[in-house]
Amino acid sequence: MFNKRITIKDLLASEQTNYQATVMGWVRTFRNNQFIALNDGSTNNNIQVVAELGKFDDNLLKRLTTGACIKATGEVIPSLGKGQKVELKADAIEILGDSDAEKFPLQPKKHSLEFLREVAHLRFRTNTFGAVFRVRHSLAFAIHKFFNDKGFVYLHTPIITASDAEGAGEMFRVTTLPVDGTAPKNDDGSINFKEDFFGRSTNLTVSGQLEGELAAMAFSNIYTFGPTFRAENSNTTRHLAEFWMIEPEVAFNDLEDNMNLAEEFIKYVIRHAMENNKEDLEFLAQRLEEEEKQKPQAERSELGLIDKLNFVVNNEFQRLTYTEAIDILRESNHNKKKKFQYLVDKWGVDLQSEHERYLVEKHFKKPVILTDYPAEIKAFYMRLNENCEPGRQTVAAMDILAPGIGEIVGGSQREERMERLLKRMEEMHIPAEELWWYLDTRRFGSCPHAGFGLGFERLVQFVTGMGNIRDVIPFPRYPKSAEF
Ligand code: 4AD
Ligand code: MG
């Protein structure tokens, strides 16, 4: 058996000394031809491996370069140096993999996040990305635990579908037909997808919700957690073409139950990360603080990362309707002084992220749940509200807006009434024949139900304080970029 190592995290955590141990990892730095800072990704902290002067061959010492992978065996002893309790006094050092110091792109210094994106295959070996992806893991685990403990069934919804769940038409096509112009055609010149692999036109899913609803009509509580795809040409710090989404769907829940579930869920997973990723979050908080210092005073956030997370888990989210939000925005000094790029003038307009951020960061200074949006600007499956003011038809929708992020959750109570759903689909040009299976749930034992979608990367951004969504997913997909 080769692998008899102790992880660096465990080694550093134990107070014990004077025993033999083996560690393996990647060299971060090698100082004074004597001190190796070694990291194996179990923690951001390095173990100091001491190669006593004169004990090792010069040829070996030369190969201890940044990035090299080594195995070191020796005695764990109390450390004289600052910042660590123990270190490893090496008896044997073996190079497992050399790293050419001239060519290795990561130097023992601070690199920009933009540069590190270009070497995303190696950026896991930096402190920032080590911390980010351990927190990401922890959040994913907490999500499964939260729903599992509540008796939800984890549903795997298809990645390839023939439907557009959001009706927004932002889909990546999936086909095996040739793209050189020789694909079979219909009489009218359009491509004949009957000849395609699935015998129809298919795309990558934008959401697992519709399939999720089918399963909720049997298990009562389900959730999905998988990749979703949007071909929107958005070059922002909040959008990816491939992102992960968590979509719970619950039979017998109304909009208020839905909001309660979402708020409890978000607080639970943040708390989990705070309890299980203390060191990583403290590191990220420090990183953010330094980054903030570069900004002009007015743009700096008032709270540090840990304080912000504490604030969110300990305070109730502000709940208000779209109509109330529009009134606040219209009356705001920001709007009157024309500081918004898109001025808020009339009821019915879609909210831009500048408006969402104003409400969250300037007005309420806490997460906000906006409800009851105009039907016009929301998806076909959302439940029509009763007794609306004339000309102001709303739906039982809810969006959760987070400080620094904007929309983190989108959800609604679903339209469970067949007649209304059909009418809505017709108005919005959603082909009912293609969604016959979705409509069947309204034919056979329909019931009130609700659900939401949480964008996983936006959650990871919020918890880690990372400014760009491209830095919280291992290999980001965005316009003009699909490297790695
Ligand atoms: O608001 P959206 O489009 O809602 C749905 O897809 C519903 N089917 C969810 C449901 O009710 N089951 O997307 C949900 C969330 C957004 O609030 C946002 O956090 C995230 O998904 N999201 C994105 N994240 C990264 N990049 C993108 N391009 C995103 N588009 C949406
Ligand atoms: Mg949305």
Side-chain angles (χ1 to χ4, degrees):
M1 194 174 95
F2 177 67
N3 195 349
K4 286 190 185 159
R5 72 179 181 120
I6 177 170
T7 66
I8 291 171
K9 182 181 181 186
D10 288 346
L11 185 62
L12 292 175
S14 88
E15 305 273 293
Q16 242 186 312
T17 52
N18 304 100
Y19 65 100
Q20 286 282 310
T22 295
V23 291
M24 299 186 207
W26 293 266
V27 175
R28 285 283 172 90
T29 58
F30 183 38
R31 284 187 302 118
N32 298 354
N33 232 15
Q34 211 178 342
F35 303 109
I36 307 165
L38 196 70
N39 190 279
D40 66 0
S42 56
T43 160
N44 256 353
N45 299 316
N46 304 321
I47 181 83
Q48 171 151 288
V49 178
V50 184
E52 279 179 298
L53 289 174
K55 191 164 178 179
F56 295 92
D57 194 58
D58 271 355
N59 280 330
L60 179 96
L61 297 177
K62 265 192 220 135
R63 292 166 68 195
L64 292 172
T65 52
T66 298
C69 187
I70 67 164
K71 169 181 177 181
T73 302
E75 193 180 3
V76 179
I77 56 167
S79 177
L80 298 176
K82 286 196 298 233
Q84 74 250 342
K85 288 207 184 88
V86 296
E87 59 190 37
L88 189 93
K89 194 170 99 190
D91 295 323
I93 296 175
E94 188 185 327
I95 308 272
L96 301 177
D98 283 295
S99 172
D100 185 338
E102 298 286 303
K103 298 197 176 123
F104 186 59
L106 303 180
Q107 302 300 317
K109 64 158 197 181
K110 207 171 158 61
H111 291 290
S112 75
L113 296 173
E114 289 75 19
F115 168 75
L116 291 171
R117 228 171 276 149
E118 287 166 22
V119 289
H121 58 310
L122 297 170
R123 67 178 177 171
F124 299 117
R125 294 197 209 170
T126 63
N127 284 333
T128 296
F129 289 94
V132 165
F133 291 118
R134 276 189 299 273
V135 172
R136 182 179 166 112
H137 157 79
S138 193
L139 287 168
F141 179 81
I143 286 163
H144 285 300
K145 181 154 169 52
F146 176 83
F147 287 118
N148 181 67
D149 290 355
K150 282 190 175 295
F152 280 57
V153 167
Y154 175 29
L155 188 79
H156 295 107
T157 50
I159 303 232
I160 301 174
T161 77
S163 57
D164 178 1
E166 290 302 298
E170 293 166 331
M171 298 177 298
F172 289 101
R173 185 181 291 288
V174 174
T175 180
T176 54
L177 291 176
V179 290
D180 60 3
T182 61
K185 301 251 168 51
N186 296 311
D187 292 341
D188 65 359
S190 60
I191 290 182
N192 180 3
F193 285 104
K194 289 206 176 70
E195 300 288 319
D196 203 350
F197 188 92
F198 295 106
R200 60 194 303 167
S201 160
T202 51
N203 51 269
L204 295 178
T205 188
V206 295
S207 156
Q209 179 196 321
L210 301 191
E211 290 89 351
E213 283 188 55
L214 310 181
M217 296 296 108
F219 298 107
S220 305
N221 313 301
I222 67 94
Y223 71 105
T224 73
F225 187 175
T228 48
F229 307 86
R230 305 242 171 133
E232 49 191 341
N233 198 4
S234 299
N235 267 300
T236 78
T237 56
R238 309 277 175 256
H239 289 87
L240 289 166
E242 176 179 301
F243 64 99
W244 289 64
M245 187 153 53
I246 298 97
E247 296 185 274
E249 193 67 38
V250 184
F252 321 120
N253 266 11
D254 66 9
L255 187 67
E256 192 184 353
D257 298 317
N258 204 32
M259 288 192 272
N260 292 343
L261 179 69
E263 184 168 340
E264 184 190 347
F265 169 57
I266 291 172
K267 288 176 172 170
Y268 176 93
V269 298
I270 294 176
R271 220 173 257 133
H272 178 95
M274 295 183 77
E275 282 162 14
N276 292 277
N277 298 71
K278 267 203 175 75
E279 272 178 12
D280 285 328
L281 289 177
E282 274 159 19
F283 173 84
L284 290 165
Q286 189 72 36
R287 194 202 73 83
L288 187 64
E289 202 178 307
E290 276 158 35
E291 196 180 83
E292 291 271 305
K293 279 185 199 147
Q294 315 296 318
K295 293 185 187 164
Q297 190 79 42
E299 283 171 32
R300 290 184 204 166
S301 45
E302 287 168 26
L303 296 179
L305 182 63
I306 308 281
D307 289 339
K308 180 189 78 176
L309 296 177
N310 265 319
F311 181 83
V312 167
V313 297
N314 292 324
N315 285 281
E316 297 204 336
F317 295 4
Q318 182 73 40
R319 300 180 184 192
L320 72 159
T321 65
Y322 164 91
T323 305
E324 289 164 338
I326 284 288
D327 288 343
I328 291 172
L329 290 167
R330 196 171 27 205
E331 296 310 315
S332 69
N333 276 334
H334 223 73
N335 199 51
K336 288 180 181 157
K337 290 185 183 155
K338 301 199 163 36
K339 283 197 195 153
F340 287 128
Q341 196 186 339
Y342 295 90
L343 293 182
V344 179
D345 48 5
K346 60 176 192 300
W347 192 94
V349 295
D350 205 354
L351 296 181
Q352 304 294 324
S353 67
E354 57 176 345
H355 305 137
E356 297 176 341
R357 296 186 67 165
Y358 177 86
L359 288 171
V360 172
E361 288 156 34
K362 297 265 177 343
H363 192 83
F364 290 111
K365 297 183 193 283
K366 51 154 74 173
V368 165
I369 312 185
L370 283 187
T371 62
D372 305 292
Y373 282 77
E376 285 267 303
I377 57 172
K378 287 291 182 186
F380 71 93
Y381 50 70
M382 297 190 179
R383 193 177 196 276
L384 287 175
N385 286 327
E386 306 291 334
N387 308 323
C388 297
E389 277 179 52
R392 288 191 170 190
Q393 178 63 57
T394 56
V395 285
M398 63 156 206
D399 275 7
I400 302 186
L401 316 176
I405 304 285
E407 180 189 336
I408 192 164
V409 162
S412 72
Q413 186 171 340
R414 316 306 187 191
E415 184 54 85
E416 83 284 13
R417 300 159 299 186
M418 185 62 143
E419 292 310 313
R420 288 191 181 73
L421 181 58
L422 280 175
K423 186 155 170 282
R424 195 90 206 289
M425 288 171 72
E426 200 185 313
E427 285 164 8
M428 300 178 80
H429 309 290
I430 309 278
E433 326 73 70
E434 278 174 31
L435 289 179
W436 63 272
W437 43 271
Y438 181 71
L439 293 168
D440 260 6
T441 51
R442 275 61 173 177
R443 282 189 190 102
F444 307 119
S446 190
C447 72
H449 61 289
F452 62 85
L454 171 91
F456 186 49
E457 284 72 21
R458 293 195 187 171
L459 173 73
V460 181
Q461 257 193 297
F462 183 72
V463 175
T464 59
M466 296 298 283
N468 194 317
I469 199 165
R470 297 170 187 181
D471 297 328
V472 299
I473 187 166
F475 302 107
R477 300 288 180 252
Y478 50 92
K480 302 281 179 283
S481 176
E483 193 69 58
F484 311 106

